[in-house]
């Protein structure tokens, strides 16, 4: 391994592009290979055995593309298939969104009362609470599943009265616990950040797992002497299907033009 | 073929259970075999080639189970794979939700101004407008995609202020066209029927494709001498994955207990 490998980032769909966006901002010289399993999204409703199999397939695909780091930019895979990915990765460092979010929450909370929001699968997996407690057993974690946030983001209703009303309803029980930190435990949620900040108020800090993952990746690359300090980066995007509105939604997530997207066929169904 | 075959009903997920519910009410003596491709749902975001392949696989699976009629209870498959299903079915009659909805809309509209709502894929396919125009070229069709309705139904917010506000927003442009009939072009939408009726007002008739499909099935069975007039029916349910909250959501759709659900493995990914 050397500084010239790419960072491999993967997700069940396009949500992980929010992580890519943060990586591009934080590590502007690094090559990035993104894999989004758009043909089989959403993973959240699939069985654990199926998700673990898919995670292994994707990790192996990226390992064949000269990566120096793997980033699991999918809360569902990070929750139930972390060990599968690490086994495929061998010596290559692996970072995941849950780990990054848990670390940032523990570091950022003064009251040691932390809220976590995510999809039903992520929340039911209890993965954030477990990782937070592995870092600090004294932190109280209050969770809420927010199943409508992903469709609201994909609809583009980022600052819509419906999104505000939905957020107020979902967050009410968590806010009642007087948390001072709220982890956005889903890669779609960074797009709702301004709205969510208004709903939770200024006294609650939002932990956005896209920026915290990019931060952790930067630390890890530097620590292992793998960071690239100059050069024009290459960004490649692989998907398993090119769905309706893919480009429009993808570019909203990435905050810029997607460039070339390659469709791979080995996982079409 | 004889009166003792089952009615085969299929959908990409569990939405088609609203059609099964209407069939149980309308045809209480008929055996029903349901197939829900829960491992690969939602189809709406997949490519047409993929959807056609899946539709063929499912139709062949049901044809091996002694069916006397096939019902495509999935708007996405009905829109893009109707011919594939009919080819697999051979002599067995095929009915689909789009055909049933289009016929009921044309029969029910006096002003000949019809609204159609559905998922983005169904609306973009233009299938309802085409089928309505094949029956009556003079009917004006006004469509609106309602991507948040499916997640709202699955969240169980059937009479929630968020659902009301969302419905008002989605329906505003269609209602402005002074339609007298609104086709609910998605198998999830019958659960929103009371709320939608309040939003559109009493002067607009709702065409619910679950009940219209059951009606069309009953007519067709009678016409072909295939109807069963007595006996205790058997209801079988096949799915390709058993996702989180499957039973709770399934029973809400079906309006009764699901009974035995069998998981088949040939389409797990």
């Amino acid at each position: 391994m050397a500084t010239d490998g790419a960072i491999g980032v993967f997700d069940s769909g396009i949500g992980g592009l929010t992580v890519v966006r943060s990586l591009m901002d934080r590590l502007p010289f690094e090559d990035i290979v993104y894999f989004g399993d758009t043909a089989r999204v959403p993973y959240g409703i699939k069985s654990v055995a199926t998700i673990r199999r898919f995670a292994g397939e994707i990790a192996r695909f990226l390992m064949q593309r000269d990566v120096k780091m793997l980033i699991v930019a999918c809360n569902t895979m990070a929750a139930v298939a972390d060990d599968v990915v690490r086994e495929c990765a061998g010596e290559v460092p692996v970072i995941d969104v849950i780990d990054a979010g848990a670390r940032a929450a523990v570091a950022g909370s003064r009251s040691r009362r932390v809220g976590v929001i995510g999809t039903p699968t992520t929340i039911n997996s209890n993965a954030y609470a477990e990782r937070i407690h592995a870092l600090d057993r004294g932190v109280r974690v209050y969770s809420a599943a927010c199943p409508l946030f992903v469709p609201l983001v994909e609809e583009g209703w980022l600052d819509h009265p419906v999104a505000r009303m939905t957020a107020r309803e979902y967050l009410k029980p968590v806010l009642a616990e007087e948390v001072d930190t709220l982890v956005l435990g889903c890669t779609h949620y960074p797009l709702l950040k301004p709205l969510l900040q208004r709903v939770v108020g200024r006294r609650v800090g939002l932990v956005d797992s896209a920026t915290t993952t990019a931060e952790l990746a930067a630390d890890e690359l530097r620590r292992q002497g793998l960071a690239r300090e100059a050069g024009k980066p290459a960004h490649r995007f692989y998907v398993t299907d090119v769905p309706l509105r893919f480009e429009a939604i993808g570019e909203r997530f990435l905050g810029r033009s997607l460039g070339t997207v390659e469709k791979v066929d080995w996982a079409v169904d």
Side-chain angles (χ1 to χ4, degrees), chain A residues 2-7 30-31 65-69 226 228:
Chain A
T3 59
D4 59 343
I7 303 176
E30 300 291 348
D31 291 347
R65 263 143 201 90
D66 187 30
V67 293
K68 61 182 178 185
M69 169 177 273
L226 294 170
R228 193 186 303 167

Side-chain angles (χ1 to χ4, degrees), chain A residues 4-69:
Chain A
D4 59 343
I7 303 176
V9 184
F10 61 102
D11 182 24
S12 55
I14 54 174
L17 292 174
T18 58
V19 175
V20 174
R21 177 184 195 160
S22 294
L23 286 168
M24 287 173 167
D25 292 342
R26 182 66 186 78
L27 297 164
F29 307 118
E30 300 291 348
D31 291 347
I32 297 171
V33 189
Y34 182 80
F35 185 95
D37 196 2
T38 46
R40 305 190 292 195
V41 74
Y43 281 13
I45 54 166
K46 298 187 197 303
S47 63
V48 168
T50 301
I51 296 165
R52 289 173 64 84
R53 184 158 57 81
F54 290 178
E57 288 171 11
I58 300 169
R60 281 190 292 276
F61 174 87
L62 287 173
M63 287 302 291
Q64 287 158 11
R65 263 143 201 90
D66 187 30
V67 293
K68 61 182 178 185
M69 169 177 273

Side-chain angles (χ1 to χ4, degrees), chain A residues 91-108:
Chain A
E91 304 280 292
V92 167
V94 176
I95 278 176
D96 75 67
V97 283
I98 295 183
D99 204 36
R103 287 179 195 219
V106 170

